[in-house]
Every structure is written in C-alpha cells, then in structure tokens.
Amino acid sequence: MLKDTLLYLAQNPRLRDFVVQNKLTRNVSRRFVAGEVLEDALRATRALNDRGIQVALDLLGENVAIKEEAAEAMRDYVNAIELIARTQIDANISIKLTALGLDISPQLCEEYLNTILESGREHNVFVCIDMEGSAYTEQTVALASRARERYELVGTVIQSYLYRSHDDIIKLVDQGTRIRLVKGAYQESQSVAYQEKADVDRNYVELMHILLARGNFPAIASHDEAIIDDACRFVRDHGISKSSFEFQMLYGIRRDLQDKLVKQGYNVRVYVPYGSHWYPYLMRRMAERPANLMFVVTNALR
Ligand code: FDA
C-alpha cells in the first residue's frame, strides 16, 4: 500500500517541485544520489574505485518531452563517456531511453542511442540501457537487440517481476547481449507482473541461474542476501569462474555487503546516480524500503 502510494507520487509534478526546491530534502537526497553535477559523480567514483569497486554512472533524467532536452541528455552521456576515458576511472554508463526522447520519437531516440554507442566504441566504454516501466519493455528490448547487432559494448536490463522476462532473457542471451538482472522498480499491474514478492524472488533465482550458466558477463543486481548467497553457491557448485559475472548494487545501499563481496574476490559494481532530476529515483528507493522514507523525513526535519 505504502509502496504503491510512493510509486504513484513519483509521477506527481507538484510534489516533485516542492521536494526538489527544498534545501533540506536536497541535502538528504545525497544519501542515495552522488550530487547534481558530473564532478560529484567523479568524486564518488574515485572513492568507490579506491575500495576495489567499479561504477556504473547514471545521469538522472527520464520521460523527456522536448527534443532539445533529449539532445542535451545525449550530449551529457557522451561527456560522461569522454570523462571516463580522460580520467581513467573504472566506470561504464547507464542510460534511460525516455531521457533520449523515446516518448517523442523512437527514431530520434535510436539515432541518439547510436551516437552514444559510437562514443562508447571509440573510448571502449560499455553502455547499459536501463529498463523502465512495462510500457517501454518491448521497445527497449528491440532497440537493445538491434544495437547489439552493430555494437559490442551494449547491454540492457531485465526485471524478474515481469512474466515475459524468461522469453526476453533466452532471446538476448542467444544473441550474446549483456544483461543486468533486477527485480523491477515500477508500479506494474497483475496483467503483466507478479505481485507477490515470493514469486518475484523465485523468478529472479530461475533467471539468474540461466544467466550465470550461459550469459555474457551478466550482472546480478540485488541487495537481497539470500539471492546473493544463492549466486555464490551456484557458481561454486557449477565450477563457474568468479570473473565471469559481477554483482551490482545501488549507491549508498548495503556498503557492508559490497565490501564483503570484494574481499571474497567477486566483481562488484555500484550504480552511481547524479544530476538534478533525482526526484523519481529517490521515490523509487523509498518505495523499496519504508525505512528510507523515515530516513528522509527525520533528517529533513532535523
Ligand atoms: P529487495 O527489494 O527484496 O531487497 C532486499 C534487501 O535489500 C532489503 O531487505 C534491504 O535490506 C535491501 N534494500 C533493497 N532496496 C533497498 C533500498 N532502496 N534502500 C535500502 N536497502 C534496500 N530497476 C528497474 O526497474 N530498472 C532498472 O534498470 C534498474 N537498475 C538497477 C541497477 C542496479 C545496479 C540495482 C542494484 C538495481 C536496479 N533496479 C532497477 C532496482 C531494482 O529493480 C530493485 O528495485 C532494487 O534493487 C531493490 O531490490 P533488491 O533486489 O535489492 O531486493
């Protein structure tokens, strides 16, 4: 109930303006967001790299409705790739297709995506296409699959709460596309997605086994210790190398677990969001864990 309310409010422009303009909530958002400019993300990345952790840089922004804003997002993503190459930080990037104008025109979005992938190829930087709400799944899978035919360094995300994900994974794995597996962070109806956590978790484990056994350097993106333990057991029992996959977690969440996995010799990558459009991202993090809502409220009131 609280989760649904928070995910609903994530789309509310009036609450967004109030929260984003409020200095206190802006400060509190720093628990989950590296900062508002690329230099903040660079600083956070260096600190993570020093702990033996790789990074996926995510410029926040989604559902852009104006062509110029989509072009600006494209240029910002290219800037991030160039910064990674210039500074030699250990990072790749994550992008959202609705930030590149998917709502305006799929053709325009694909053109901008290809510009980013050209830059990724030139600088040897991998680009992951994040997965958004189910209204975009079909287009995202199709665009990622088409992009993979031309570019090596591209992958996408699959959400275990969707019924269709098993079929998508088989198709993408056969094509050699790199996949990040997540549970899914959006509000979805019973017609397309499992509603019970137990079903989402069970499907996650099934899909994870497919990826670990046959995937191209998959990312197991979760903070769920039972799932992470299962992954460690599965690779050990099947003689799969620790170097053939990576764990991924979100910035500011379960730092203890990130360090523990690094110490055990696993690849760990942390997703580092930055930028001024942090409101929907913060709301999704609160929806995942009500304790985060308490963290934001009590610190904002302090
Ligand atoms: P679950 O939600 O069951 O949580 C397990 C445990 O992890 C909790 O008990 C708690 O201890 C901890 N935890 C989880 N979330 C927390 C939070 N917000 N704050 C504090 N503790 C928390 N989704 C999507 O739809 N599209 C995408 O492209 C991505 N991309 C992405 C990248 C990366 C690197 C990660 C880690 C996650 C995503 N996600 C995503 C989000 C994902 O779908 C999911 O909502 C979150 O990862 C939370 O799910 P868990 O797997 O952690 O399990």
Side-chain angles (χ1 to χ4, degrees):
M1 176 69 178
L2 179 61
K3 182 178 178 177
D4 287 346
T5 308
L6 288 167
L7 289 175
Y8 174 74
L9 291 175
Q11 311 296 330
N12 185 306
R14 283 174 67 187
L15 184 62
R16 178 197 61 209
D17 292 347
F18 172 75
V19 170
V20 169
Q21 282 157 20
N22 185 308
K23 196 163 170 255
L24 294 169
T25 39
R26 281 174 73 163
N27 288 341
V28 175
S29 73
R30 293 297 162 91
R31 165 84 167 75
F32 303 101
V33 175
E36 299 212 349
V37 293
L38 189 52
E39 283 65 33
D40 296 323
L42 180 61
R43 207 171 311 116
T45 301
R46 288 204 163 112
L48 285 157
N49 286 172
D50 286 347
R51 286 164 51 207
I53 294 172
Q54 297 164 305
V55 161
L57 284 178
D58 166 49
L59 170 66
L60 293 165
E62 49 200 88
N63 295 110
V64 158
I66 300 168
K67 191 177 167 194
E68 189 38 48
E69 283 181 17
E72 199 181 315
M74 181 269 287
R75 286 192 294 271
D76 286 343
Y77 285 136
V78 170
N79 281 342
I81 290 175
E82 289 172 354
L83 179 97
I84 291 170
R86 205 170 52 245
T87 58
Q88 295 287 298
I89 50 174
D90 197 345
N92 59 31
I93 69 163
S94 263
I95 67 173
K96 282 194 173 49
L97 293 181
T98 65
L100 291 178
L102 187 58
D103 291 329
I104 306 168
S105 146
Q107 289 74 19
L108 178 83
C109 175
E110 186 163 17
E111 198 183 297
Y112 289 163
L113 172 66
N114 287 341
T115 305
I116 294 165
L117 294 175
E118 285 294 338
S119 176
R121 173 147 68 192
E122 183 187 339
H123 296 292
N124 200 27
V125 174
F126 176 79
V127 177
C128 182
I129 304 173
D130 280 355
M131 191 57 79
E132 303 178 63
S134 62
Y136 302 105
T137 311
E138 184 64 33
Q139 283 172 301
T140 305
V141 170
L143 274 171
S145 175
R146 217 161 39 239
R148 182 65 179 87
E149 287 167 11
R150 293 179 59 187
Y151 301 96
E152 181 104 5
L153 296 177
V154 62
T156 191
V157 178
I158 293 293
Q159 299 151 323
S160 74
Y161 63 18
L162 292 186
Y163 305 139
R164 59 174 287 162
S165 289
H166 180 269
D167 291 348
D168 286 336
I169 280 205
I170 297 298
K171 184 172 140 200
L172 292 167
V173 161
D174 285 348
Q175 199 196 20
T177 305
R178 274 169 64 172
I179 293 174
R180 172 199 300 152
L181 182 63
V182 302
K183 289 188 186 176
Y186 297 81
Q187 195 174 23
E188 300 293 357
S189 76
Q190 203 175 0
S191 61
V192 295
Y194 296 110
Q195 305 294 308
E196 297 299 324
K197 178 172 159 52
D199 292 326
V200 178
D201 290 358
R202 180 191 40 74
N203 199 34
Y204 191 104
V205 171
E206 272 177 39
L207 300 177
M208 178 175 80
H209 289 172
I210 297 174
L211 287 177
L212 289 172
R214 300 174 37 202
N216 175 12
F217 199 74
I220 308 306
S222 177
H223 316 88
D224 187 328
E225 284 201 73
I227 281 180
I228 290 170
D229 287 348
D230 184 294
C232 295
R233 232 180 2 257
F234 185 84
V235 294
R236 195 188 53 227
D237 293 351
H238 291 79
I240 296 165
S241 164
K242 284 178 180 174
S243 63
S244 67
F245 71 100
E246 65 186 11
F247 287 113
Q248 291 191 358
M249 293 187 210
L250 299 174
Y251 181 73
I253 299 178
R254 291 306 309 264
R255 283 171 279 209
D256 56 331
L257 192 51
Q258 296 164 14
D259 288 333
K260 184 176 135 191
L261 289 166
V262 169
K263 240 185 228 145
Q264 292 173 350
Y266 292 100
N267 295 308
V268 178
R269 187 178 298 276
V270 164
Y271 185 96
V272 173
Y274 68 97
S276 52
H277 301 293
W278 45 263
Y279 170 75
Y281 179 87
L282 183 69
M283 293 298 278
R284 288 198 289 274
R285 301 298 73 86
M286 292 198 292
E288 282 156 6
R289 194 159 181 257
N292 290 342
L293 177 61
M294 288 314 293
F295 172 85
V296 170
V297 171
T298 50
N299 282 280
L301 292 176
R302 220 168 252 168

